[in-house]
Amino acid sequence: MKSALALAFLGASAGAVKVDFTSDASIKDGASTIAYGLMKYYNGNETGQIPGNLPQPYFWWETGALFTALIDYWVKTGDDSYNSLTSQGLLQQVGGDNNFMPANQTKTEGNDDQGIWALAAIAAAESGFPSPSKDEPQWQDLAVNVFNDLVQRWDTKNCDGGLRWQIFTFNAGYDFKNSASNGVFFDLAARLYLQTKNTTYSDWASKIFSWEQDAGLITDTYQVLEGVSTENCKNIDKTQTSLSASLFLHGSAALYNATTSSQWKTRVDGLLKGVQEAFVSNGIFVEVSCETVKTCSTDSQAFKGFLVRSLGETAQLAPYTGATIQPILLTNAKAAAKACSGSPAKGFAGQAGTACGFSWAGSNSTFDGLTGVGEQMNALSAVVSTLTLNAEGQTNGTSPDKPSGTSPSSPATTTPKGAGNRVAADGMAALVVLGGILYGLL
Ligand SMILES: *[C@@H]1O[C@H](CO)[C@@H](O)[C@H](O)[C@H]1NC(C)=O
Ligand SMILES: *[C@@H]1O[C@H](CO)[C@@H](O)[C@H](O)[C@H]1NC(C)=O
Ligand SMILES: *[C@@H]1O[C@H](CO)[C@@H](O)[C@H](O)[C@H]1NC(C)=O
Ligand SMILES: *[C@@H]1O[C@H](CO)[C@@H](O)[C@H](O)[C@H]1NC(C)=O
Ligand SMILES: *[C@@H]1O[C@H](CO)[C@@H](O)[C@H](O)[C@H]1NC(C)=O
Ligand SMILES: *[C@@H]1O[C@H](CO)[C@@H](O)[C@H](O)[C@H]1NC(C)=O
């Protein structure tokens, strides 16, 4: 008892998330510390708060990303501590039509925002995450409903196809077709095809991918560019985000898995190489458009987690890529864990000395002072990604209860009264003008 206490004290005072990556138990332990710090930012399960919302400065889409990260955490570690609040938050935000267009968000919601939530739902369906009760919408149905919305919004009148960034004409960004929106649509279609073998989905996935190439948004060397203005369909914003590249890589791997076609293999190989060229520097992931110049927005500080998860999924769906991907994931997991050594004066409420920084680069991967939901999520996904290294697609040790077929333990009841969704009230997600082109970070 005494020595346990002493150890705990030592650990706390020494700070940092120290992980022995040869031990699953140590990896899970480190991940649980990061997850704990992450969830201190979330108060949607507290009385008076709205499930599925993060406080400012996080936009609504980011909770969708958070739930994907938490589902991934559960899949890899078997720790179901956050399953109830994940179910509760996802179901709270489905809206009247079960398509992740809740009244509180609709006015400012973009196609990419809606799609990110749908990707959390499909991750739940794929992984056997405990199903909602019979009277609630089911995970896969939610993903299908969003897919069908996006089909309706495919716009052939401008640029021969593609989704616009925004859903509504009155939102800035309606005149922009972006790779994030088309990427979530693509990833969703690809993974629905893998799940159902319904060719409606694979037909759409092929069409979206071809459109991205024809529009010049996926280049010959498989770089995924930000988007194109609908004005003349030539004015391309060449910014690259790891989010968009991740979406196309993951979807392509799903289609390769489902079809074993050489076309999808070529695309997986191309995108994997493209991702390495764009976002891996000295072995470490870098959000290339903004990290080194320290201008990443709150949104883009959450993109690296998508890259990590996409690579992890790719290594499973296209196992021949594992030899390339797994060493990269391991290197980054080590760097990410090292960077979880901050004790910021405010904002972070996790265990002292374990706040995760944003940048993992630099020979020592020290804490860079940037903290938040994105930083914690990125590191969490990176650390747990190494749990698949021991055996193909199998974590060693406790495996999560896969399809249990039972309802989740009932989510903590909350009685939202007022409080208000300040994020929604603030309106648009970040808009940035670069080179005269308006583009969106979601
Ligand atoms: C909300 O979730 C956290 C875990 O992140 C938990 O510690 C807390 O007790 C939960 N609050 C309620 C009211 O259930
Ligand atoms: C295939 O998916 C589409 C789109 O969700 C749906 O409309 C159609 O009914 C499905 N077909 C079958 C045979 O299930
Ligand atoms: C598809 O994914 C499964 C699960 O990871 C894997 O076992 C299988 O080998 C993959 N198929 C192909 C063609 O790579
Ligand atoms: C990295 O850490 C080592 C040992 O603490 C130190 O000697 C070295 O100067 C550090 N390098 C950088 C680039 O900070
Ligand atoms: C899995 O864990 C057990 C017990 O900790 C260990 O004996 C075994 O070698 C591990 N297997 C792999 C593949 O890591
Ligand atoms: C929408 O926002 C209002 C006011 O902030 C809140 O009372 C309500 O619970 C929210 N609705 C949903 C479905 O989250």
Side-chain angles (χ1 to χ4, degrees), residues 256-257 260 316-320 392-393:
Y256 165 73
N257 191 279
T260 69
Q316 293 198 33
L317 292 165
Y320 74 90
E392 273 178 50

Side-chain angles (χ1 to χ4, degrees), residues 119 122 126 147 183-198 200-206 208 247-256 258 264 317:
L119 293 180
I122 197 167
E126 289 166 346
F147 169 86
V184 290
F185 189 18
F186 170 74
D187 194 17
L188 192 57
R191 290 159 66 186
L192 280 170
Y193 178 67
L194 183 59
Q195 290 289 303
T196 65
K197 300 295 180 310
N198 175 336
T200 302
Y201 301 123
S202 53
D203 289 349
W204 271 101
S206 294
I208 300 160
L247 296 168
F248 283 101
L249 175 61
H250 186 179
S252 297
L255 290 165
Y256 165 73
W264 287 111
L317 292 165

